Amino acid sequence: TIPSTVSQAPTNVLTTDSRSDLMMELFGINILNPDQRNVFQDDMARYIEDFYNTDTDFGSILEAAKSAIYDVSATIVIYEQIPAGTARSDRLFKSLSVLNDGFEKKKKN
């Protein structure tokens, strides 16, 4: 006979979610020569790894967000540098300002 209800103890399943090809744009950094680029890439990767893989103040909002992320390994590659004052950098900065203005208006409401 088949039982009418089947109960099973819950199981813990560990899932790994890997993200790659993430991009970010940084403003206000001077154009770097090749040696400076290498140092920046290494230091930024180390900073990201330390940020997520090192405990901070337990009970803080930051720690709550970080607790879901672990074993972070970062590789930073600078693909392009756009000098300030060029038409393209001005457009990027303006679009960032528009996004920030919208965010600030939402915070006030």
Side-chain angles (χ1 to χ4, degrees), residues 29-44 78 81:
I29 298 175
N30 294 328
I31 298 296
L32 305 174
N33 68 38
D35 289 337
Q36 293 169 324
R37 286 171 65 137
N38 289 335
V39 169
F40 179 85
Q41 292 171 154
D42 291 345
D43 286 352
M44 182 59 78
I78 298 173
Q81 295 183 83

Side-chain angles (χ1 to χ4, degrees), residues 86-101:
T86 63
R88 184 162 177 220
S89 71
D90 292 345
R91 278 193 314 275
L92 289 171
F93 186 75
K94 185 175 181 180
S95 66
L96 180 65
S97 296
V98 169
L99 290 173
N100 188 50
D101 289 346

